[in-house]
Amino acid sequence: MNIGLLGFGTVGTGVYEIINKRKDFFRSLIGKDLNINKVLVKDTTKDRNINISKDKLIDNPYFILDDPNIDIVIEAIGGTAEAYAYIKHALTTGKHVITANKAVVAKHMKELMDLANKNKKAFLYEASVGGGVPIIKPLKQQVTLNDIEEIKSILNGTSNFILSKMIREDLEFTDALHIAQELGYAEADPTDDIEGYDVRRKLAILSTIAFKREVKEEYIHCRGIRTIKSVDTKVIKELGYTVKLLAKASFKSNKYYLSVEPSLLPDDSFYAKVENANNLISIIGNDIGELKFYGQGAGKFPTANAVVSDVLDILYNNYQNYGIDEGTYKLCNNTDLVKDRYYVRLSPKHTLSDYVLKVVKEEKIADKIIKTGDHIIFTTGNIELKKINSFINNVKESIKDEFYAAIQ
């Protein structure tokens, strides 16, 4: 069984090392050799800190994609346009495909699944959500037995690390982000992580499987963590809470509610104890109840391990590309289905502080009001998001751009 590996970065080298290290075990397990016999790299002459024959390195992806001796293609180059083109080409030419590329899976999931089904090949992507946390395969199994009612998850190690540092050490967001970048938790451009886009892609993938409907990224209400300040984390701690970037999807009354946003959680909750790069994914089925999946959501070997688990499913012929229902359905992104409690900070100019405080009291949506410095902070009872948004817009309109509002 021959594998072509597209990309030899963090994930690609991890996959290569795991397969080489356990080659004898795989042979005894499945009765055949498992070979990575071609690896796509940008520079075949580069010195690499890994034991690999130079003969395996190629710089033309079609030496893998069009090779009739290659059975499985593992895409590990990242990006979107090229990765999508290579995955589609490989499936079209009758190869099994494995990827960790959440951006491609979230955007093209239905098309690639349909293509894999047409050619009777596997399209597997366990590592695209949760890194080393096994969630895709268990979720596929559960949707055959259960109607999935809810998904609730912490799915991004970068944002989780930043929020943990802010809560524990009273740091400002920019300081915590800088530490995350120095330690390798955050990229030089952290936009996808801190604005919630990375989590939104992962939630789109999970929701598509769970609800058997094509869920696009743009369906999902999304807010990141950039607006959170140390004044917020201090007050949140005093209230007995912590804050996490949560991905939530639920199904009620034949409608779907999907969101990615910072959420307050009691200090003693299971989610509050998820630290650094760890992920927690909870699913609720009508018969099974709640299942929780916890583990490392990123890293070389956890992610590579998920890729290799997909390889084993192909070797055992233990895969199924589930179809996506094209029937009519209605998505509800933000208002009607879910009521929640909200944390709101208003930071008006000093001269307008009394006026804003008066408006907050008159609206009668606050169950607790805190005045600290130039900030007016309040929490609400269970109300609809559209009511909070309407309040913020009304205040903005009345005093124009004289304050900054943050909602958690």
Side-chain angles (χ1 to χ4, degrees), residues 201-216:
R201 294 182 187 116
K202 294 171 182 175
L203 184 61
I205 294 169
L206 293 178
S207 300
T208 295
I209 298 169
F211 304 135
K212 302 174 188 174
R213 298 288 196 276
E214 186 177 23
V215 176
K216 295 287 192 181

Side-chain angles (χ1 to χ4, degrees), residues 11 51 79 96 121 138 154 196 199 217 222-223 226 338 359 367:
V11 175
N51 184 23
H96 300 292
K121 295 298 176 182
I154 295 172
V199 177
E217 291 178 60
C222 183
R223 287 189 307 105
R226 191 191 295 270
V338 177
V359 172
D367 64 355

